[in-house]
Each structure stands twice: as C-alpha cells, then as structure tokens.
Amino acid sequence: KAAAGEEAAHPRWVRINVIKSTLEEQLETTFRGYARAGTIQDVVAKEGKHILIDPHVPNLVAITPGCDLSKTEAYTSGKIILQDKASCFPAYLLDPRSEDGDVIDACAAPGNKTTHLAGIIRSHEPEFESQPQTIFAFEKDSRRAKTLEKMVKIAGSNKMTRIALGQDFLQVDPESERFRNVGALLLDPSCSGSGIVGRDSMPELHLPDPPQQNPRRESKSEPTNKRKRKYEEIRNSNQTVIRDDDGNEIVVESEKDLAARLNALAGFQLTILLHAFRFPSARKVTYSTCSIHSQENEHVVMAALNSDVAKERGWRILRRKDQVTGMKDWPVRGSTEACNGDEEVAQGCIRCYKDDSHGIMGFFVAGFVRDHANASEGG
Ligand code: SAM
C-alpha cells in the first residue's frame, strides 16, 4: 500500500529487536532484495525497495515508505519493531548499564521504549540469560497497559519487565523498598502530540490526560486534508464550532484554549519529572515528548533544573559532550532562547522537526544526571 501525504515524505523506520534477532540476520532475511540507499532522500524518492542503516541509533534502519512489513515473520514474532527514529532517542540516550541497577519506564504503553530499554540492557550484557536488572513499567490506562503487556511479551522482554497494569506513576512511593535499586528512569509522558507525522491518523496514542474543555467530535469519514483545512479555517477565524458537510459538529480549540492546554500539560509533565528526581538511587533520567512546543519541552526542563528538589539532590542537565555518540552527533538541538540564554542546557536538549530533511517525527528529549555521591543522599 502506497503511503500518502505527509507520511510519503518520511521513510518507514524499523528497529531490530536484539533480544530476538540481529541487524545482520534481518538484512539477510526480511530485507533481502532491498537496495542500499545513501541518503534518506534516496530511501523516500527512489523507485523500488531501498534501505539505509541509520548512522545515529544502533540497530535501526529506514526503508521505503509504504513497504508493508506487518505480515512478515520478523514482525509477527517480535524480531523487528516499527518505531520512528526519534522515538528511539530516549532509551538510547538513557543507556541503562548494569551499574545503573533497575530501570523505570514511567509512562510505558504501548511499549516501544520499554522494549527498546530491554534490548539495550541485553546488548550490554549479552551473556546473561536471565537479566539481573528489572524494568518497572508503569501505565495508568488499563486498556493501554494490556497492549503494553502484549508488546513486551512478543518482544521477549517479559522476563526482565514488571508491568504495573493501571498504575499511576505519581502514586508510587519513591522511597519504597522495591525501588531501592532504581538508578535510571525514562519519562515519556502524555503530550500535545504536535510532532506526530500524520497526526490525525493516530491521536489515541498521545491523548493528553487533563480533561479537554472542548472535546472534539469529528467525522471519521472526512478525508484528512479536508479536515485539516477546516481546522485551519477555524483557528484563523477564532471560531470554536463548525459543522462539516455531513452535518457533524467539529469542535476545535482556539489559540487561547491551546495555550491553556499546553500550560496544563506542562504542569503535569513537570510533576512527573520532579517525582522521578525523588528516587533515592536515581542517577539518570530522560524526559521526552513528541511535541514541538517549547512550553512542553525546554520550559519544562528549565523549571525542573530550577526546582528545589533538583538543587537539593544535585540534578543537572546531561551535557552534549557526555551523551552517547549518536546523540552527541545529532545536529538539531534545543532553543537557547527558550532556555533563557543557557547555551549548555540548550545544547543538552535534542530536538527533531517533522518537516526537515531527516525524515523523522517532531520530538524532544533531554537527559538529567547527578553524581554518584549525591545518589541515595537525602533520600
Ligand atoms: N512510552 C510509550 C512508547 O514509547 O510506546 C508512549 C507513552 S505515551 C506518550 C504516554 C503514556 O503515559 C500514555 O499511555 C498514558 O496513558 C500514560 N500516562 C499518563 N500519565 C501517567 C501516569 N501518571 N502514570 C502512568 N502512566 C501515565
């Protein structure tokens, strides 16, 4: 099936799940017959099936958009996972090592990053059949937690993952004995989803938690582009309700509503981040969103760094020079202006824009670290 619209300008990203396969094996089997491309533009534009091994994230490839892998043995058995390149950044940046102890994925469903964390742990310690480290995966929404459970099982990471079905991460006590060895946390909370490619096709994955004052009701049948144009019309005219050609009511946020919603989301995102800072043995945290808005990104990072808990416990930004190679090399960084002129923090922040030449979704990720001596101090 050919990809359409915005999606056609993006390759399909495929992560090789190293718990079940290897890049070499997949090149020989699932991607046998794919021609090697030199650039993302070639992958997207050239006739026939092309593949590019990603230069930043290990075990990731880009293939021609529209190639359907959903029926392949590799996909159904969890050897490959369809995951946008940007979505691979957080687990790769966190880089959990055996010395980090247990790991928390605080907002885990559907499980792309949980399974990626498991793969990274395994690739660092390939000889361990049963891993000494545990991943605690929390998911507040029970329905989505079931999907997470399935994904973790298919990916073969169930032995090392404890899933807390329907568990709100914010209700978890950081001082609990169970989490005594948690050294690394991955935070990928609900966000506006403004960076998602083909945003209208998968809104359910990133619905924000704060109740929306004007819930949308949309005609499912209306073609995406037509709907998008209507949304634009409303934004420009500041109306909030219109009817489509079929008489269905469409409610759209005005600019004012959007600002209020981003504000509410940012408050929630900061709360998640500060909660993570309270785990006594934690030394590494990553914070990510698939939003392009500074309010949910650099502003949250700055507020977290300026918080009392960060100062008391010695949390600071993971500087660019201290990041894993592929993330250090990634060229698109945070906005210095949105970081109040702090160049070091801005350079520590990693950004992606869906309309640039990298062929990935709009995304943001930043890492936080603190020194060994501070961990376990003062709780
Ligand atoms: N990390 C996931 C992945 O890569 O597949 C995507 C996570 S999605 C952006 C955010 C998820 O966080 C949603 O499934 C949402 O239900 C969940 N969530 C929101 N607030 C939460 C909380 N307080 N505790 C646990 N999960 C939460």
Side-chain angles (χ1 to χ4, degrees):
K1 197 177 97 189
E6 202 178 34
E7 281 156 73
H10 287 72
R12 170 147 288 183
W13 291 98
V14 185
R15 178 167 65 75
I16 315 316
N17 176 16
V18 297
I19 291 183
K20 291 209 158 175
S21 186
T22 60
L23 177 60
E24 293 69 31
E25 183 186 63
Q26 288 308 309
L27 292 175
E28 284 299 312
T29 54
T30 312
F31 303 116
R32 201 187 182 95
Y34 281 63
R36 290 292 179 98
T39 64
I40 288 294
Q41 284 63 39
D42 285 351
V43 173
V44 171
K46 278 195 167 170
E47 283 291 314
K49 292 179 173 180
H50 283 81
I51 189 166
L52 175 78
I53 298 172
D54 188 67
H56 297 104
V57 179
N59 302 303
L60 182 73
V61 296
I63 63 164
T64 306
C67 288
D68 184 11
L69 298 173
S70 63
K71 309 268 183 328
T72 60
E73 185 274 332
Y75 178 74
T76 55
S77 65
K79 290 179 181 163
I80 57 170
I81 290 170
L82 306 183
Q83 183 173 356
D84 192 279
K85 173 171 174 170
S87 161
C88 298
F89 285 3
Y92 178 47
L93 182 69
L94 190 67
D95 193 31
R97 304 252 161 188
S98 55
E99 61 269 26
D100 295 323
D102 296 336
V103 180
I104 282 182
D105 185 351
C107 301
N112 292 306
K113 299 177 187 76
T114 319
T115 55
H116 193 193
L117 285 169
I120 293 170
I121 289 173
R122 174 60 60 87
S123 62
H124 286 324
E125 307 282 349
E127 72 275 18
F128 284 116
E129 209 8 71
S130 70
Q131 297 290 332
Q133 285 160 278
T134 298
I135 302 172
F136 295 100
F138 298 101
E139 173 51 54
K140 195 167 92 169
D141 180 316
S142 322
R143 189 179 52 85
R144 290 169 58 80
K146 289 275 174 208
T147 313
L148 165 70
E149 213 171 29
K150 270 190 216 143
M151 184 167 184
V152 164
K153 192 156 183 243
I154 293 171
S157 10
N158 44 328
K159 275 197 197 137
M160 70 172 102
T161 310
R162 303 271 165 282
I163 297 178
L165 285 174
Q167 171 75 66
D168 182 338
F169 172 65
L170 292 174
Q171 298 303 317
V172 165
D173 177 8
E175 305 282 339
S176 157
E177 183 58 22
R178 283 180 81 204
F179 307 123
R180 194 166 49 92
N181 293 325
V182 169
L185 296 96
L186 184 148
L187 314 173
D188 187 41
S190 307
C191 69
S192 63
S194 52
I196 296 175
V197 177
R199 177 70 181 87
D200 288 1
S201 64
M202 47 179 185
E204 83 284 359
L205 280 187
H206 293 267
L207 272 182
D209 291 326
Q212 293 181 39
Q213 286 174 334
N214 292 325
R216 297 174 183 182
R217 276 204 288 128
E218 301 166 1
S219 159
K220 291 267 185 290
S221 59
E222 195 172 10
T224 305
N225 284 342
K226 201 168 153 197
R227 223 173 340 139
K228 274 192 185 149
R229 272 202 302 278
K230 277 196 182 27
Y231 277 43
E232 270 320 304
E233 266 172 36
I234 290 172
R235 285 229 165 84
N236 295 338
S237 69
N238 252 357
Q239 284 175 285
T240 50
V241 182
I242 57 160
R243 287 186 186 280
D244 68 18
D245 298 341
D246 301 321
N248 298 305
E249 192 179 77
I250 304 177
V251 184
V252 180
E253 294 156 345
S254 65
E255 289 299 330
K256 204 164 123 244
D257 290 335
L258 177 67
R261 190 155 77 93
L262 291 181
N263 218 4
L265 281 165
F268 156 73
Q269 290 152 349
L270 179 61
T271 308
I272 292 262
L273 201 32
L274 300 189
H275 195 63
F277 283 173
R278 296 196 169 91
F279 283 72
S281 303
R283 288 192 289 127
K284 292 172 167 182
V285 166
T286 60
Y287 168 75
S288 53
T289 73
C290 51
S291 164
I292 52 164
H293 300 294
S294 301
Q295 291 96 320
E296 298 177 86
N297 299 330
E298 288 92 342
H299 293 185
V300 172
V301 167
M302 290 308 289
L305 289 170
N306 289 324
S307 67
D308 291 343
V309 56
K311 287 180 184 154
E312 278 159 20
R313 298 178 185 224
W315 286 101
R316 53 186 166 75
I317 195 82
L318 170 60
R319 287 169 298 201
R320 183 174 186 173
K321 70 178 182 58
D322 298 328
Q323 295 174 359
V324 283
T325 313
M327 294 292 84
K328 199 179 351 200
D329 292 349
W330 178 253
V332 194
R333 315 305 293 192
S335 148
T336 309
E337 194 188 339
C339 292
N340 298 335
D342 190 325
E343 188 62 25
E344 188 171 80
V345 176
Q347 284 297 310
C349 295
I350 292 156
R351 263 191 178 269
C352 312
Y353 296 96
K354 61 181 166 183
D355 44 7
D356 69 10
S357 60
H358 295 102
I360 66 180
M361 69 197 286
F363 204 79
F364 176 89
V365 57
F368 299 85
V369 286
R370 64 173 176 158
D371 298 328
H372 234 315
N374 286 317
S376 292
E377 245 177 42

